[in-house]
Amino acid sequence: MATEAVIELKSVERHYEQGSRKLTILNDANFSLTPGEMVALVAPSGAGKSTLLHTAGLLERPDGGDVILNGRACGRLSDDERTAIRRNDVGFVYQFHHLLPEFSALENVMMPQLLKGLSPAQASERAAQLLDYMKIGKRAEHRPSELSGGEQQRVAIARAVANAPLVLLADEPTGNLDPVTAGYVFDALSALVRQSGLAALIATHNHELAGRMDRRVTLAEGKIVPLR
């Protein structure tokens, strides 16, 4: 029996106005992810990878179609409802870590949990567990400026999953790292996805890493299609 999709894009349209022209980025885009699945999104710059991730993650509204997250249609929800869903059910990782420089690694991972309403003690305990899992627990009290690029990105991944989301969306998470460090970070991310049952869509230019995921997709004329 097939596992039910945790996120679906159904006939999603996304357009931008460029002067008097309408620029179509997503055109009848359909896609789904199941728990524990890692899918690589491989497409050239400007093809719409970030737009796809932002739409799937409810940062942008579709102009047509809908985004179904855990069985709930989200495209027409209010801003407050979409924000609550993002906070609880969606984790984001970007090419640049965007850690808060004035806080330690532990505090950075605690932050989304505190915003969700957990107590400082609860948030600290989970943050420490996640940093240990990412093999960076010994650096918990260090600020981002005291961490290497790979360490910073591992903290960013831990922060992204701190609230136990259903879906992880990553935009070139290893793109700013050297190949060896990228491999270490990807291994940690992959183990986390498999262990926790996350559904992960990862945009990457790294074909070697893409080949290690469950399947690969690309964007062609605004549609999401398998990449052979």
Side-chain angles (χ1 to χ4, degrees):
M1 185 169 126
T3 304
E4 186 174 347
V6 69
I7 185 170
E8 295 180 84
L9 274 64
K10 291 191 171 182
S11 301
V12 166
E13 305 278 339
R14 193 74 181 96
H15 313 288
Y16 297 104
E17 300 296 329
Q18 193 175 63
S20 59
R21 296 173 55 233
K22 183 172 78 170
L23 186 63
T24 297
I25 305 299
L26 299 177
N27 177 29
D28 191 26
N30 293 279
F31 179 71
S32 64
L33 269 176
T34 57
E37 185 180 31
M38 291 184 75
V39 175
L41 173 59
V42 183
S45 297
K49 296 191 301 295
S50 294
T51 296
L52 170 57
L53 292 170
H54 290 169
T55 304
L58 310 184
L59 289 169
E60 297 183 20
R61 291 182 183 275
D63 296 305
D66 212 339
V67 178
I68 314 297
L69 185 58
N70 202 27
R72 185 180 186 185
C74 299
R76 304 292 173 261
L77 296 178
S78 70
D79 288 343
D80 286 346
E81 289 173 313
R82 289 158 61 86
T83 297
I85 292 171
R86 282 198 307 272
R87 181 186 305 129
N88 297 327
D89 295 335
V90 183
F92 293 93
V93 181
Y94 298 98
Q95 179 174 350
F96 299 99
H97 55 78
H98 298 299
L99 298 174
L100 299 171
E102 65 271 29
F103 295 107
S104 68
L106 185 77
E107 290 166 337
N108 267 279
V109 181
M110 288 175 61
M111 201 64 64
Q113 301 176 76
L114 297 174
L115 292 173
K116 187 178 179 180
L118 269 69
S119 71
Q122 290 172 314
S124 178
E125 181 179 6
R126 176 159 171 78
Q129 290 172 346
L130 283 168
L131 291 174
D132 281 339
Y133 189 87
M134 298 300 289
K135 295 181 171 53
I136 196 176
K138 293 181 179 179
R139 309 284 279 166
E141 298 304 324
H142 290 70
R143 293 188 181 185
S145 62
E146 301 170 312
L147 303 174
S148 70
E151 289 171 337
Q152 291 170 346
Q153 200 64 320
R154 289 191 213 185
V155 175
I157 293 168
R159 180 182 60 183
V161 301
N163 284 339
L166 300 172
V167 177
L168 181 69
L169 302 172
D171 196 353
E172 297 288 349
T174 63
N176 199 38
L177 305 174
D178 66 80
V180 172
T181 303
Y184 288 144
V185 170
F186 178 82
D187 288 344
L189 175 58
S190 179
L192 188 61
V193 169
R194 306 301 190 197
Q195 184 71 24
S196 63
L198 272 168
L201 177 61
I202 301 172
T204 181
H205 283 108
N206 188 319
H207 288 271
E208 189 273 326
L209 295 183
R212 294 168 58 188
M213 300 190 215
D214 298 310
R215 54 190 171 101
R216 300 182 299 163
V217 298
T218 189
L219 286 162
E221 297 182 350
K223 292 178 171 55
I224 304 166
V225 298
L227 182 65
R228 303 302 179 188

